[in-house]
Amino acid sequence: MSSVSLASPASARMPSVQADAERLAGRLAAEVTAAGAWRHLEAFQRAADDHNGVRAAGTAGYDASARYVTRRLTEAGYQVRVQRFSFPDSVPVSQIARVTAPDPRTLHPLLARFSPATPDGGWRGRLAVLPEKAYGCDAADYAGDVRGHAVLARVGGCDLARKTELAAAAGATALLVNVDQQPADMNIRSTVRPPAVARVPTANLPRGEAERLAADAARGPVDLFLDLRGRAVTTDSYNLLADTPAGRADRTVVLGSHLDSATEGPGLNDNGSSAAMVLETALRLAPHRDTVRNRVRFAFWGAEEEGMIGSGYYVGQLSDRERRETALVLNFETIASPNYARMVYHGTGAVPPGTDTVEKVFTDRFARRGLPTVPLEFDGRSDFAPFMAAGIPAGGGSAGYNHLKTPEWQRLFGGTAGELTDPCYHQTCDTLSHLDRTILGQFGDAMAWATARFAVDVSDVGTARGR
């Protein structure tokens, strides 16, 4: 990020507008609390408990969560709009993997979305392990004896689509990826995008199982049986949108988070924590609607876990004028992580003008409360991505998901270095019981403060965008 701020000096803003913004921001920040959001989290937990333990897009658990959000918003006087969409999806049918020799045992793969299937009756063959420092992102990584074998690669280095293309070109018949997470038995489902490039059956393995396979292969041949099959489906889902009745539509502030969970768990931190706080912010802002100068749109995105489908659909449906009239988007992910880091979205390089101003509002608010922060790069992994691609400034933050806590983060925030900020990321244990109320409340304060501030004054963001 350039060292030259794009924001207008504070002195250039109208004193009365700035005072009004500070007044509403302070009031809303005091009224939005972790206790208030916790009631919504309890409702999301019930939605998961009553519907097979998940709240993923296209499931009854998601519908139950959406009904709760709609009811609470309606009771507060909002008109809720349902924005429906459909998207191609893939569901696992068989996820079986076994070592048949020399040390027979069962493995626990997660089939990648859009993965091709192994042959009818499964596949039997030998394992080939890529060199230790290879990610499987270059053709040279497959220079060994991989033809006709199942290849074991490391996560990272490039996207999964490139790994599958290169593995197929080298003649491999399957791709197994070491997900390389803590703890050793943690696994996370991946997606091959675009689906058309998926060439070989592909699945992730927990780090512990993958490392044991690699150690066995270093001593001699390892034989496998794989039965990896998925089914193509079309999933129907929807976003929920609610606007403040007052405020300029040509300076719309979007406050959003995704409402859906991953398909592997109830998603109370990811991303029920943020959705609950967005809802609480909307409810607490409702009595102050007459002080809002810029329209605030509260958004609950569907199908984020499938690749920001809901937010992408929303942005794609905006007219050119509506895009220009969107002043900024505030986006939050996993704001109640138990081993948290206090992270604020930070852009380096090509980010929409005004983004650094949004970042500064958050860092200043935390600093005012004596709470240190660290930057979180805009990595394209959440619902800010479609907005930024459309040139709309973005900001927000996260308490961490599958980030490994560093010693420096431990010094700043406590917790345990060397462990994930959220050890239940995309797991069945992502329940109400593992959330941290303290960081939830701190992010709630910052969310409320920034929302109210921009609901009154976006002049510095707008100036940065050349308005």
Side-chain angles (χ1 to χ4, degrees), residues 116-130:
T118 51
D120 292 344
W123 174 87
R124 295 179 185 274
R126 187 146 294 173
L127 176 70
V129 180
L130 297 189

Side-chain angles (χ1 to χ4, degrees), residues 52-140:
N52 301 312
V54 298
R55 301 184 307 104
T59 69
Y62 182 82
D63 292 340
S65 300
R67 284 194 299 271
Y68 174 81
V69 170
T70 300
R71 176 173 63 83
R72 294 305 308 271
L73 288 172
T74 302
E75 290 171 347
Y78 292 97
Q79 292 186 351
V80 180
R81 178 160 59 99
V82 178
Q83 186 181 47
R84 300 187 182 277
F85 55 87
S86 300
F87 61 97
D89 203 355
S90 173
V91 296
V93 174
S94 177
Q95 303 179 106
I96 297 173
R98 293 195 296 268
V99 177
T100 56
D103 181 15
R105 61 187 182 273
T106 298
L107 303 174
H108 301 87
L110 283 181
L111 182 70
R113 289 186 181 87
F114 306 115
S115 167
T118 51
D120 292 344
W123 174 87
R124 295 179 185 274
R126 187 146 294 173
L127 176 70
V129 180
L130 297 189
E132 182 179 357
K133 296 187 181 300
Y135 288 100
C137 298
D138 298 300

Side-chain angles (χ1 to χ4, degrees), residues 47 217 337 467:
S337 306
R467 292 185 175 178

Side-chain angles (χ1 to χ4, degrees), residues 341-366:
R342 199 175 296 108
M343 296 188 283
V344 174
Y345 286 130
H346 169 73
T348 55
V351 297
T355 295
D356 58 344
T357 302
V358 183
E359 175 188 352
K360 189 173 186 301
V361 168
F362 283 104
T363 55
D364 284 356
R365 177 58 181 174
F366 282 122

